[in-house]
Structures are given as C-alpha cells and as structure tokens.
Amino acid sequence: MTRTAFRRSSLFASAALVAVVSGTGGFAQTAPEGHGDGPAAAYQPSMTTLGELNVEIPGRKPGDPVVTPSEYQRANTIYFERCAGCHGVLRKGATGKALTTDITRESGFELLRDFITYGSPAGMPNWGTSGELTEEDVDLMARYLLLEPAEPPEFGMPEMRASWQLIVPPEERPTEKMNDIDIDNLFSVTLRDAGQIALIDGASYEIKAVIDTGYAVHISRISASGRYLFVIGRDAVVNMIDLWMESPDTVAQIKVGSEARSVETSKMAGYEDKYAIAGSYWPPQYVIMDGDTLEPLKIKSTRGMIYDEQTYHPEPRVAAIVSSHYRPEFIVNVKETGKILLVDYSDIANLKVTEIEAERFLHDGGFDSTKRYFLTAANARGKVAVIDTKEGELVALLETDGQTPHPGRGANLDHPVYGPVWATSHLGDDTVALIGTDPEGHPDHAWKMVQQLYALGGGSLFVKSHPTSEHLYVDAPLNPDAEVSGSVAVFKVPELDQEEPEYTVLPIVEWAGITEGQPRVVQGEFNKEGTEIWFSVWNAADLTSAIVVVDDKTLEPKHVIKDERLITPTGKFNVYNTRADVY
Ligand code: DHE
C-alpha cells in the first residue's frame, strides 16, 4: 500500500495515448500506436442501439456497388458502433469529415478502402491494420459508403407514449418513507454492462437493491426532494425509481429516442419534482416530462443552424443537461451547433428558449460553488464556456490550454491564492486547468485559467472534491498504462500555491486486490459528509470489479465493496451531492 508524492516529470508523464472505447463492450482497449489518435480522438459516442435497428438498403442507383441486405445490415451496425460518433448518423460530418455520397463517390472504392485500412494522421483510426476490422469488413465498409446512408427512424410523441409505462401511479405510492435507508447518503451506482443500477448505503456499504434499467446505463440524477431517482440508458430508456418504497423500485419508465445520454429534473424553488427532461443523441431532441409520472409533455428538436457558420446541422446531439437554481430553466448543451439552451419550464405550452452562442461540440459540465455559474466543456475545441444562470447569458469562453477538457461536473476548490476555482482535467494530456470563479472577491482572476497542474497522464475523465475536503482527486481511466489507469492522483488544495504542486498517487486497483484484467479506476464520488470518496474499479463484464472507499483525511483505503452483482461499475451518484450539485 504505497502512497508517494510525485512531481510532473517523475511518473507516467510521457505515456503514449492510444486507448479506444470499443463499441459493444464499451470497455477501453489498447490500439496500436501510430495513427495519431488517442483517448481524446477515440472517446467518441458509439451508437450501439442504432446499430441494432433493422434497416433496408436505400433506393439503388445505376452503378451502385453490390451489397446484399445482410451485408448492408452488418455494415450499418459497424458504422453506427464505430463511425457515426465522428462522422454523424446521416454521414454529414461532426468532429469527423462528411461521408455523403457526393464525396465518397468522388473518392472511389480504392481510396475509401485504403483510408479505412490505414487511417490518417488527422485522427482517423487505422481500422484495417490495427486488426479492429477484417479485410472483408473493410471491403464491405468501402462499398457501404458508396451507397446512400440509411436514415434511422424518428421518435415522436406516438412512439414515446407507446413506450411509456406508469407502473405505480402516484396515488398508489407510499405517502411516507417506508424503509430505514438514509436516502441522502445512498449511492446510485451504474452497472454499465448489466443494464442495472445498484443502490448502495453510504454508511454500511450494503447493496440495498439492484434494479434493471436501460441498456449500457449511463447516468443517474435525483429529483429536488431527493425522493425520485432518474436513470437513463444509452438506449434512451428512462427509469424513475421511488426511493420511499419499502424496497426502492421503478414506478415509471419511458423510451425517449434511440440513443441518449442525459436526464435531469426541475430544481427551482416552487418547481421541485415537477418536471423531468431527457436529451437524445438520436433523434436530436429533448423531451420535457411530468416529474411524477414521466408522461411526455413536450418534445423539442435541436436541428438547426450551427452558431457561427449559420449552416444547417441535421443531427445536433443533446449532451449534458443541468437544472438552474436561479430560474425555472433547464440548461441544455447542444453539441454540434455549439448552442447552450435555457429552456424555461414555467409555461411549457408557450415554451421560451434562450439560445446562447457558445462553441461547438459541447459535452459535459457543472456549476461553480455558488451554483450560479455553469461551466461546460466544448471538448473538441479545447474550451470551457461559462454561463451566468441568473442573468441568462454567456460570461466567458476560455481555452483550457490542454487537449480535450473533460470535467464531468468539475470540482470546486478554495485556492490559497485565487479563491474559489473550478477544475477540469483532460482526455488528451496530463493537465488539469483551474479556472477562477469569483467575480466579486477575485475579479482579476474570474473566468481566467489561473493555474495548470500536471497529474498522472492523459485519459482522464473526472475530477472531484467536496466543500469539506482539502483534496482534489484526478482519475485517468483511459490511459493505456495499467499502472496509471489503475491509480488516482490527489493534490492538497492548501499547497496549490507552490510553483509545481506535488500529488500523491493512490494505487486503487492494488487496494482492490484485483489482479485479473486491466481494471480502470473511474469517477470519484464523495459521501454526503465529505469524509470519504468512492472510486469504481471498472473491469471487464466477466471479471471481478469493485468499489474502493478512501478516507479523505488520511488518504488510506477504508473499505472495498466486492459483490458478484457489481458488474462493470462506472458512475456513482450520491443522492445528496447530486441533487444539491455539491462537487
Ligand atoms: Fe459519459 C456523463 C456522453 C462515454 C461515464 N457522458 C456524460 C454526459 C454525456 C456523456 C453527454 C453528461 C450527462 C449530463 O450531465 O447530463 N459518455 C458520453 C459519450 O458520448 C461517450 C463519450 C461515448 C458513448 O458512446 O457513450 C461517453 N461515459 C462514457 C464512458 O465510457 C464512461 C466512462 C463509462 C460508462 O458508464 O459508459 C462514461 N459519463 C459517464 C459518467 C458520467 C457521464 C460516470 C456522469 C459524471 C458525473 O459526475 O456527472
């Protein structure tokens, strides 16, 4: 159980960054070096649910290559799992180039085949030479790209209503809490590949329930009262779980699209538990639902103009959604058009949406410590946008000086020099950016990057702290080096005034006692009091995973949760911290 402090150059700093997230398993794997990709380039959405839909070959044209219906289906699955994240569902381009037939036919079969085989320095993976695709599949994909793209179905009100199940209507639910669970200190833990969540007690570490949810479940959010838990799967299935039931369980369920990642609930005073919202990758839209029943009330498409070019984008995905504490508004990140929407839910029949121009490829983000400002990463552009949720406007757009910022919800710290700051780590390198967030107390530093730290290595996804903690925790789950992806770096906040602050390495996988596979340590989450932080040790589905609980004061392991039901744990959401936006 070694814990040592390191400076930047002493450890892992030059690790080559070549991890990719695979389609179906979603587990990080190592790809050969050399084609210029890395965690940042390869951490792209895998539209696995869309890939499973049955599609017909679009109308043939003279000269089209021969592709049988079963080959087309297979090519479509490969495309949605591996290519659509960058090139777009409709092949009109996103972070990657457009692959519409006017372009692909100009290139021709041979060039496409070579491009797929060898990749490009601009970030296209070498699917053929890496062995990810066989020669036959590369040949098939080159032929597939010469055909018109398949257009996945829309998902409007009839489809949503048909999928909606009110399993326990509000009048049949308990009128008081029927269990002895300390709900505020409960953790909802994503069991990614099981399509389930585990509810784990924050004090006893006992698994109180394991509940079936959507496919490759992504995140959990909590209603303002703390009673209802909302969980969304990548297949866009939303589960609403009543934590007051004797044994907490799903009381309503709905499917809101084919691919989705975000769900949130109304938090403004007077609107607690009134509405829920879910955003989809496909179709590109969000839906406002009744907060008691999940009945879909209003669907809004996000298709429209890119904020700066003013050209039409047919599939702008909805990324993170947070709920304002200052106005009755949901704050919705629209990835490809670079717009942040303030969706006013005070009168949804006459819906008002404020459209803020920010930056393209918005992904995730969270609030500053006052919960007034929302900081969110336009990750493929290396920027963070800052929204004043009280005034409803953009206050800053700044570079993070690192490659692909990925904050999760970020971390708020009280810096010894710069006062309140918000932190994000990066997918593409070992840097952590600290941004000043106190325009009144520290006006010279507000909305500027005030300090750059160097942590374990690239492939970081999440940072975490807590108002009572003096530590900043930085993970690196997508780093290809097992020692790095199995550890966490911890900075001491009061020592951030040093020129090159040291960090301590916590060997979390070693503490978990897991020797098989290459488990990745991901997403720290504090308990309610802020005395301990939990890390997922995310192994392959057929291997042992765990959750390691670390004492925040001593930085020693306090407990290891192991259970055969803990399959691929990833995100963890403490009820109190999540509903109150404490991080
Ligand atoms: Fe996530 C948050 C999208 C891959 C674990 N992830 C989010 C959010 C989005 C998103 C838009 C913000 C939701 C919000 O706040 O409303 N994630 C995507 C992807 O598109 C991507 C890159 C690829 C994909 O096909 O899904 C992706 N995410 C992953 C993973 O591989 C992770 C590590 C493991 C997993 O469970 O799949 C993962 N994402 C998470 C977690 C959060 C998250 C744990 C919430 C963090 C938090 O603290 O709020």
Coordinates of all heavy atoms in Angstrom, one line a residue, residues 21 26 43-46 190 192 217-219 221 234 261-263 281 319-321 363-364 408-409 461-462 464 522-523 538 570-571 573, ligand 1:
V21 N -12.4 3.4 -27.0 CA -13.5 2.8 -26.3 C -14.2 2.0 -27.4 O -14.6 2.5 -28.4 CB -14.5 3.9 -25.8 CG1 -15.7 3.3 -25.3 CG2 -13.7 4.7 -24.7
G26 N -17.9 -1.4 -24.8 CA -17.6 -0.1 -24.3 C -16.4 0.0 -23.4 O -16.2 1.0 -22.7
Y43 N -12.5 8.8 -27.9 CA -13.6 8.7 -26.9 C -14.9 9.4 -27.6 O -15.3 10.5 -27.3 CB -13.2 9.5 -25.7 CG -14.1 9.4 -24.5 CD1 -14.3 8.2 -23.8 CD2 -14.7 10.6 -24.0 CE1 -15.1 8.2 -22.7 CE2 -15.6 10.5 -22.9 CZ -15.7 9.3 -22.3 OH -16.6 9.3 -21.2
Q44 N -15.4 8.6 -28.5 CA -16.5 9.2 -29.3 C -17.7 8.3 -29.1 O -17.6 7.1 -28.8 CB -16.1 9.1 -30.8 CG -15.0 10.1 -31.2 CD -15.4 11.5 -31.1 OE1 -16.6 11.8 -31.0 NE2 -14.5 12.4 -31.0
P45 N -18.9 8.9 -29.2 CA -20.1 8.1 -29.0 C -20.2 6.9 -29.9 O -19.8 6.9 -31.1 CB -21.2 9.1 -29.3 CG -20.6 10.4 -29.2 CD -19.2 10.3 -29.5
S46 N -20.6 5.8 -29.3 CA -20.8 4.6 -30.1 C -22.3 4.3 -30.1 O -22.9 4.1 -29.1 CB -20.1 3.4 -29.3 OG -20.4 2.2 -29.8
T190 N -23.9 3.0 -11.4 CA -24.1 2.5 -12.7 C -23.5 1.1 -12.8 O -22.3 1.0 -12.6 CB -23.5 3.4 -13.8 OG1 -24.2 4.7 -13.7 CG2 -23.6 2.8 -15.2
R192 N -22.8 -0.8 -15.7 CA -22.9 -0.4 -17.1 C -23.3 -1.6 -18.0 O -24.4 -1.5 -18.7 CB -21.5 0.1 -17.6 CG -21.5 0.7 -18.9 CD -20.1 0.9 -19.4 NE -20.0 1.5 -20.7 CZ -20.3 0.9 -21.8 NH1 -20.7 -0.3 -21.8 NH2 -20.2 1.6 -22.9
V217 N -26.4 1.5 -19.2 CA -26.9 2.6 -18.5 C -25.8 3.7 -18.3 O -24.7 3.3 -18.1 CB -27.6 2.1 -17.2 CG1 -26.6 1.2 -16.4 CG2 -28.0 3.2 -16.3
H218 N -26.2 4.9 -18.4 CA -25.2 6.0 -18.4 C -25.2 6.8 -17.1 O -24.2 6.8 -16.4 CB -25.4 6.9 -19.6 CG -24.1 7.4 -20.1 ND1 -23.2 6.8 -20.9 CD2 -23.4 8.5 -19.7 CE1 -22.1 7.4 -21.1 NE2 -22.2 8.5 -20.4
I219 N -26.2 7.6 -16.8 CA -26.1 8.4 -15.6 C -27.4 8.4 -14.7 O -28.4 7.9 -15.2 CB -25.8 9.9 -15.9 CG1 -27.0 10.6 -16.6 CG2 -24.5 10.1 -16.7 CD1 -27.0 12.1 -16.5
R221 N -29.7 10.9 -12.0 CA -29.9 12.2 -11.4 C -31.1 12.1 -10.4 O -31.9 11.2 -10.5 CB -30.3 13.2 -12.5 CG -29.1 13.5 -13.5 CD -28.1 14.4 -12.8 NE -27.0 14.8 -13.8 CZ -25.8 14.3 -13.7 NH1 -25.4 13.5 -12.8 NH2 -24.9 14.7 -14.6
R234 N -28.2 4.1 -22.6 CA -27.8 4.6 -23.9 C -28.9 4.3 -24.9 O -29.0 5.0 -25.9 CB -26.5 3.9 -24.4 CG -25.3 4.5 -23.8 CD -24.0 3.8 -24.3 NE -22.8 4.4 -24.0 CZ -22.2 4.4 -22.8 NH1 -22.8 3.8 -21.8 NH2 -21.1 5.0 -22.6
R261 N -28.1 10.2 -23.6 CA -27.1 10.2 -22.5 C -27.5 11.0 -21.3 O -26.9 10.9 -20.3 CB -25.7 10.8 -23.0 CG -25.1 10.1 -24.2 CD -24.6 8.7 -23.9 NE -23.9 8.0 -25.0 CZ -24.5 7.3 -25.9 NH1 -25.8 7.2 -25.9 NH2 -23.8 6.8 -26.9
S262 N -28.5 11.9 -21.4 CA -28.7 12.8 -20.3 C -30.2 12.9 -19.8 O -31.1 12.8 -20.6 CB -28.3 14.2 -20.7 OG -28.8 14.6 -21.9
V263 N -30.3 13.1 -18.5 CA -31.6 13.2 -17.8 C -31.4 14.1 -16.6 O -30.3 14.2 -16.1 CB -32.1 11.8 -17.4 CG1 -31.3 11.2 -16.3 CG2 -33.6 11.9 -17.0
Y281 N -29.3 11.7 -28.4 CA -28.3 11.8 -29.5 C -29.1 11.6 -30.8 O -28.8 12.2 -31.8 CB -27.2 10.7 -29.3 CG -26.1 11.1 -28.4 CD1 -26.1 12.3 -27.6 CD2 -24.9 10.4 -28.4 CE1 -25.0 12.6 -26.8 CE2 -23.8 10.7 -27.6 CZ -23.9 11.8 -26.8 OH -22.8 12.2 -26.0
A319 N -26.1 16.9 -25.3 CA -25.2 16.3 -24.3 C -25.7 16.7 -22.9 O -26.8 16.4 -22.6 CB -23.8 16.9 -24.6
A320 N -24.8 17.3 -22.0 CA -25.2 17.4 -20.6 C -26.4 18.4 -20.5 O -26.6 19.3 -21.2 CB -24.0 18.0 -19.8
I321 N -27.2 18.0 -19.5 CA -28.3 18.9 -19.1 C -28.2 19.1 -17.6 O -28.1 18.2 -16.8 CB -29.7 18.3 -19.4 CG1 -29.9 17.9 -20.9 CG2 -30.8 19.2 -18.9 CD1 -31.2 17.3 -21.2
H363 N -20.0 19.2 -24.4 CA -20.1 17.9 -23.8 C -20.7 17.9 -22.4 O -21.9 18.0 -22.2 CB -18.8 17.1 -23.9 CG -18.9 15.7 -23.7 ND1 -19.6 14.8 -24.5 CD2 -18.5 14.9 -22.7 CE1 -19.5 13.6 -24.1 NE2 -18.9 13.6 -22.9
D364 N -19.8 18.0 -21.4 CA -20.3 17.9 -20.0 C -19.8 19.1 -19.2 O -18.9 19.9 -19.7 CB -19.8 16.6 -19.4 CG -18.3 16.4 -19.5 OD1 -17.6 17.2 -20.2 OD2 -17.8 15.4 -18.9
G408 N -16.5 16.1 -16.4 CA -17.7 15.6 -15.7 C -18.5 16.8 -15.2 O -18.8 17.6 -16.0
R409 N -18.7 16.8 -13.9 CA -19.3 18.1 -13.4 C -18.3 19.0 -12.8 O -18.6 20.1 -12.4 CB -20.4 17.7 -12.3 CG -21.6 17.1 -12.9 CD -22.5 16.5 -11.8 NE -22.0 15.2 -11.3 CZ -22.4 14.5 -10.3 NH1 -23.4 15.0 -9.6 NH2 -21.9 13.4 -9.9
L461 N -10.9 11.4 -17.1 CA -12.3 11.7 -17.4 C -12.9 12.6 -16.3 O -13.8 13.4 -16.6 CB -13.1 10.4 -17.5 CG -12.9 9.5 -18.7 CD1 -13.7 8.3 -18.7 CD2 -13.2 10.3 -20.0
F462 N -12.5 12.4 -15.0 CA -13.3 13.0 -14.0 C -12.3 13.6 -12.9 O -11.3 12.9 -12.5 CB -14.3 12.1 -13.3 CG -15.3 11.6 -14.3 CD1 -15.2 10.3 -14.8 CD2 -16.3 12.4 -14.8 CE1 -16.1 9.8 -15.7 CE2 -17.2 11.9 -15.8 CZ -17.1 10.6 -16.2
K464 N -12.7 15.4 -8.8 CA -13.7 15.6 -7.8 C -13.1 16.2 -6.5 O -11.9 16.0 -6.2 CB -14.2 14.2 -7.4 CG -15.5 14.1 -6.6 CD -16.7 14.8 -7.1 CE -17.2 14.4 -8.5 NZ -18.4 13.6 -8.5
V522 N -12.3 4.8 -12.1 CA -13.1 5.9 -12.7 C -14.0 6.6 -11.7 O -14.6 5.9 -10.8 CB -13.9 5.4 -13.9 CG1 -15.0 4.4 -13.6 CG2 -14.4 6.5 -14.8
Q523 N -14.2 7.9 -11.9 CA -15.1 8.8 -11.3 C -15.2 8.7 -9.7 O -16.0 7.9 -9.2 CB -16.5 8.5 -11.9 CG -17.4 9.7 -11.8 CD -18.7 9.4 -11.0 OE1 -18.8 8.4 -10.3 NE2 -19.6 10.3 -11.0
W538 N -13.3 -0.6 -12.5 CA -14.2 -1.0 -13.7 C -13.4 -2.0 -14.5 O -12.5 -1.7 -15.3 CB -14.5 0.3 -14.5 CG -15.2 0.1 -15.8 CD1 -16.0 -0.9 -16.2 CD2 -15.1 1.0 -16.9 NE1 -16.4 -0.7 -17.5 CE2 -15.9 0.5 -17.9 CE3 -14.5 2.3 -17.1 CZ2 -16.1 1.2 -19.1 CZ3 -14.7 2.9 -18.3 CH2 -15.5 2.4 -19.3
T570 N -19.4 2.0 -13.0 CA -18.7 3.1 -13.6 C -19.2 4.4 -12.7 O -18.6 4.6 -11.7 CB -19.0 3.3 -15.1 OG1 -20.4 3.3 -15.3 CG2 -18.4 2.2 -15.9
G571 N -20.2 5.1 -13.2 CA -20.6 6.3 -12.5 C -21.3 6.0 -11.1 O -21.9 4.9 -11.0
F573 N -23.5 8.1 -8.0 CA -24.2 9.3 -7.7 C -24.8 9.3 -6.3 O -25.7 8.6 -6.0 CB -25.3 9.5 -8.8 CG -24.7 9.4 -10.2 CD1 -24.6 8.2 -10.8 CD2 -24.2 10.6 -10.8 CE1 -24.1 8.1 -12.1 CE2 -23.7 10.5 -12.1 CZ -23.6 9.3 -12.7
Ligands
DHE1 FE1 -20.3 9.5 -20.4 C1 -21.7 11.9 -18.3 C2 -21.7 11.2 -23.1 C3 -18.6 7.5 -22.6 C4 -19.3 7.6 -17.8 N1 -21.4 11.2 -20.6 C5 -21.9 12.1 -19.6 C6 -22.6 13.2 -20.2 C7 -22.6 13.0 -21.5 C8 -21.9 11.8 -21.8 C9 -23.3 13.8 -22.6 C10 -23.2 14.3 -19.4 C11 -24.6 13.9 -18.9 C12 -25.3 15.0 -18.1 O1 -24.6 15.6 -17.3 O2 -26.4 15.3 -18.4 N2 -20.1 9.4 -22.5 C13 -20.8 10.2 -23.4 C14 -20.4 9.8 -24.7 O3 -20.9 10.3 -25.8 C15 -19.3 8.9 -24.6 C16 -18.0 9.6 -25.0 C17 -19.4 7.7 -25.6 C18 -20.6 6.9 -25.6 O4 -20.9 6.2 -26.6 O5 -21.4 7.0 -24.6 C19 -19.4 8.5 -23.1 N3 -19.2 7.8 -20.2 C20 -18.6 7.2 -21.2 C21 -17.9 6.0 -20.8 O6 -17.2 5.2 -21.5 C22 -18.0 6.0 -19.3 C23 -16.6 6.3 -18.7 C24 -18.4 4.7 -18.7 C25 -19.9 4.4 -18.9 O7 -20.6 4.3 -18.0 O8 -20.2 4.3 -20.1 C26 -18.9 7.2 -19.1 N4 -20.5 9.7 -18.4 C27 -20.0 8.8 -17.5 C28 -20.3 9.2 -16.2 C29 -21.0 10.5 -16.3 C30 -21.1 10.7 -17.7 C31 -20.0 8.5 -14.9 C32 -21.5 11.4 -15.2 C33 -20.4 12.0 -14.5 C34 -20.8 12.9 -13.4 O9 -20.1 13.0 -12.4 O10 -21.9 13.6 -13.5

